Amino acid sequence: MTARIARGELNYPGIGFTSEGRSPEGFARSRASAHVGEGFETYRRVADGILNWQIQRRSGLRVRTETEAVESGSRIVSGFGIGPFRINAPCEVVWVRPPAPGTSAQSAGFGYGTLPGHPERGEEAFEVSIDAAGAVIFTITAFSRHSNWFYAAGGAVAKAAQRLVTSRYIDSAHQLAAGES
């Protein structure tokens, strides 16, 4: 087996809960959605981008992955910050939902959970859906709490960083929907 890019095991309760929109007790829950376009071509572009790590790569994070495409059990380490002030955020994919064949209302995406070394404990999911009228919606669902006292002490900074990254993920989904390379 090849060496893993991040060590350890998932470190929170409720593994897979984001696939159902749930969160475990004691974890803050967040959800952000944006209408990114119309029609199945748009839906497929965003779904392909989500399932090929493009949401993370386009958001300005430094991204290392074990696999080219999202797979259950694959790991990713996202980094943000500058130089010695870079924080790495290792995660493992806990569920994947590929696009369904056909043109019915559906959703696609994945969820990943935190590993030791991540500043938070919890799970985050990236999904795109298309409804019966053809509206394409990108949604990020997460539950988390700080991994230790150090990150809890910087709570306001951590929340601001989380809001910034979320807005960049949404911008990435808009780029994918527009077919930008």
Side-chain angles (χ1 to χ4, degrees), residues 38-129:
E38 299 289 327
F40 272 90
E41 285 184 31
T42 300
Y43 168 75
R44 298 276 182 210
R45 279 194 301 271
V46 178
D48 288 347
I50 290 171
L51 296 174
N52 286 295
W53 306 112
Q54 289 305 306
I55 293 294
Q56 287 76 15
R57 291 188 197 293
R58 290 170 179 257
S59 69
L61 297 173
R62 182 174 163 219
V63 176
R64 293 181 297 134
T65 63
E66 292 180 337
T67 56
E68 290 299 314
V70 173
E71 298 173 12
S72 189
S74 62
R75 292 185 174 189
I76 177 174
V77 178
S78 301
F80 54 93
I82 299 170
F85 304 104
R86 181 171 302 280
I87 295 174
N88 288 318
C91 293
E92 181 177 315
V93 176
V94 296
W95 62 267
V96 179
R97 183 178 308 118
T103 57
S104 60
Q106 57 182 281
S107 68
F110 76 95
Y112 56 28
T114 59
L115 296 167
H118 195 293
E120 300 287 318
R121 288 180 188 238
E123 200 167 287
E124 189 167 35
F126 306 88
E127 292 182 87
V128 62
S129 61

Side-chain angles (χ1 to χ4, degrees), residues 10 14 17 26-27 31 50 69 79 88 117 120 122 143 148 156 158 162 181:
L10 296 164
F17 274 17
F27 283 73
R31 181 180 168 99
I50 290 171
N88 288 318
E120 300 287 318
F143 62 82
N148 60 40
Q162 208 168 31
S181 42

Side-chain angles (χ1 to χ4, degrees), residues 54-55 58-59 167-177:
Q54 289 305 306
I55 293 294
R58 290 170 179 257
S59 69
S167 72
R168 287 183 174 182
Y169 288 152
I170 290 170
D171 289 346
S172 297
H174 280 287
Q175 292 169 14
L176 289 165

